[in-house]
Amino acid sequence: MIRRITLVTVVMAVAAAAASTASADPASVGYPSALASTGDSITRAFDTCSFPYVDCPQNSWSTGTNATVNSVYRRILAASPAINGRNFNDAKTGGKMVDLNGQVATAASQGVDMVTILMGANDVCTSSDTTMTPVATLRAQLTQALATFSAARPDARIAVSSIPNVYHLWQIFHTNLGAATVWGLAKICQSLLKNPNSTAQADVDRRARVAQRTRDDNDAIRDACAQYVHCHFDGYGFYNVVFTTGDVTTRDYFHPSVPGQAKAAQAAWTSGFDFSDRNAPLSTGSVDASGVFTAAATDDRGVSGVEYRLSSDTLGYRRYTGPVGVPSGAAVTFRAVDVNGNVEASKTIQN
């Protein structure tokens, strides 16, 4: 009888362990198999086709197919054919940060495991410096979009780019008569580009305010991204791209030309995730006698963070920032994510 009871106990323990393994979220490493881009006219590669003033997404720095641009998508495709044809451009010309939530919802519905975000240029390039989107508002709008996408695609990478240095655009073109004429007639980015040749103090101060707002917005974008372990900020890579006159279309003296899109693609690639890293991070966790969960993680390239979820609530994964109370009888599931978006298989501890 004792042997039979012992055998039953062993079988039940094995079954429980097998159930725990089967329900674990698997590890995810390497290249993404589907990519979506979100943003504005820059990501739509506006005004780069032979026909003027239209979107030209095949030339997009993110998801385009033009070999000359060599987009992020094409670079991934060269190493991982699984992504072939699974590139979605969900950006909208004229888009502002307030529009991002809808765009990432579309991207999530497409089942992508990576999304690029380049948004905010139209929040500083407005009709006047007084109509620029407030920094706190822009950050809140980005945070909402990140939460929406993360809830729908909890394993997916999020690559967030900084706003380009629009002030540099004024620097390289403000003495160009063609640029000044087009900017004025088309009312392009008047917060910055109005009266481009004026040295009046009011105009100098206005341009300085736009330049400062761009920097402040980029800091806010960085901080919002840092709250999500699957989110990678480009470290001001896009902001620091030095566009020359040949990198900007002479149709509107504002949007990147095909060479400009290529330069943007290179910046995004070098400052983004390193997909050649195929090593998942490793986390450790425990629940002490008082029901408090603690965790830590290591990785050879660097840890982005640890995330966890409790069986006692309906919320998904949340970033681990310190000890967490686990109700009696509940379980905590956790996993680590590294700086390149690799995710380890989840682990579960019962309290």
Side-chain angles (χ1 to χ4, degrees):
M1 178 63 71
I2 292 175
R3 287 197 300 270
R4 290 174 61 188
I5 292 174
T6 302
L7 179 60
V8 170
T9 301
V10 171
V11 170
M12 291 177 63
V14 172
S20 176
T21 301
S23 62
D25 297 320
S28 175
V29 300
Y31 290 87
S33 59
L35 172 68
S37 58
T38 60
D40 52 34
S41 56
I42 297 175
T43 301
R44 293 294 293 176
F46 180 82
D47 216 4
T48 61
C49 282
S50 56
F51 191 82
Y53 309 121
V54 296
D55 291 344
C56 204
Q58 62 266 35
N59 293 333
S60 172
W61 65 271
S62 175
T63 48
T65 55
N66 186 340
T68 301
V69 173
N70 199 17
S71 67
V72 172
Y73 163 71
R74 282 188 58 91
R75 293 168 194 246
I76 296 172
L77 178 63
S80 180
I83 201 172
N84 187 34
R86 304 192 69 197
N87 53 320
F88 308 94
N89 193 319
D90 299 315
K92 300 292 183 184
T93 291
K96 291 186 175 184
M97 194 65 80
V98 69
D99 304 307
L100 183 61
N101 194 58
Q103 291 184 18
V104 298
T106 299
S109 72
Q110 293 160 339
V112 301
D113 47 15
M114 177 174 164
V115 65
T116 65
I117 297 174
L118 173 58
M119 189 73 92
N122 289 325
D123 291 276
V124 294
C125 274
T126 58
S127 59
S128 165
D129 64 309
T130 63
T131 58
M132 294 186 293
T133 303
V135 176
T137 301
L138 179 134
R139 176 173 177 168
Q141 291 166 347
L142 174 58
T143 299
Q144 177 59 59
L146 294 174
T148 295
F149 186 78
S150 297
R153 302 293 297 167
D155 299 336
R157 291 177 170 96
I158 306 170
V160 176
S161 296
S162 48
I163 301 170
N165 185 356
V166 293
Y167 184 79
H168 180 63
L169 189 70
W170 172 81
Q171 289 178 310
I172 63 175
F173 277 124
H174 72 279
T175 60
N176 183 300
L177 179 59
T181 301
V182 171
W183 291 344
L185 291 175
K187 302 298 182 184
I188 296 174
C189 194
Q190 293 297 278
S191 56
L192 174 68
L193 302 177
K194 182 180 179 180
N195 302 330
N197 293 312
S198 172
T199 57
Q201 194 60 49
D203 290 317
V204 172
D205 291 345
R206 170 175 51 79
R207 295 183 204 117
R209 287 192 292 273
V210 175
Q212 184 61 51
R213 178 61 61 85
T214 305
R215 292 190 290 270
D216 293 343
D217 282 350
N218 277 331
D219 290 346
I221 290 169
R222 175 202 61 197
D223 294 344
C225 181
Q227 302 307 306
Y228 294 84
V229 297
H230 297 270
C231 188
H232 176 85
F233 178 64
D234 73 350
Y236 306 95
F238 211 110
Y239 176 82
N240 289 327
V241 173
V242 180
F243 289 105
T244 66
T245 55
D247 297 323
V248 182
T249 176
T250 54
R251 290 170 176 166
D252 59 25
Y253 295 92
F254 186 76
H255 290 93
S257 60
V258 169
Q261 288 284 337
K263 188 173 284 189
Q266 178 64 28
W269 187 254
T270 57
S271 63
F273 295 108
D274 180 359
F275 302 114
S276 66
D277 175 14
R278 293 176 175 270
N279 296 321
L282 178 65
S283 68
T284 57
S286 62
V287 176
D288 65 18
S290 61
V292 175
F293 167 68
T294 55
T298 59
D299 184 76
D300 60 339
R301 301 289 190 91
V303 175
S304 178
V306 174
E307 55 186 4
Y308 73 94
R309 66 180 183 223
L310 300 175
S311 63
S312 56
D313 62 35
T314 58
L315 297 175
Y317 280 112
R318 288 176 280 179
R319 183 173 196 142
Y320 174 81
T321 58
V324 177
V326 182
S328 178
V332 57
T333 297
F334 61 100
R335 61 187 187 177
V337 181
D338 72 16
V339 294
N340 289 316
N342 294 315
V343 186
E344 74 166 334
S346 65
K347 306 168 183 176
T348 299
I349 301 175
Q350 187 76 33
N351 182 18

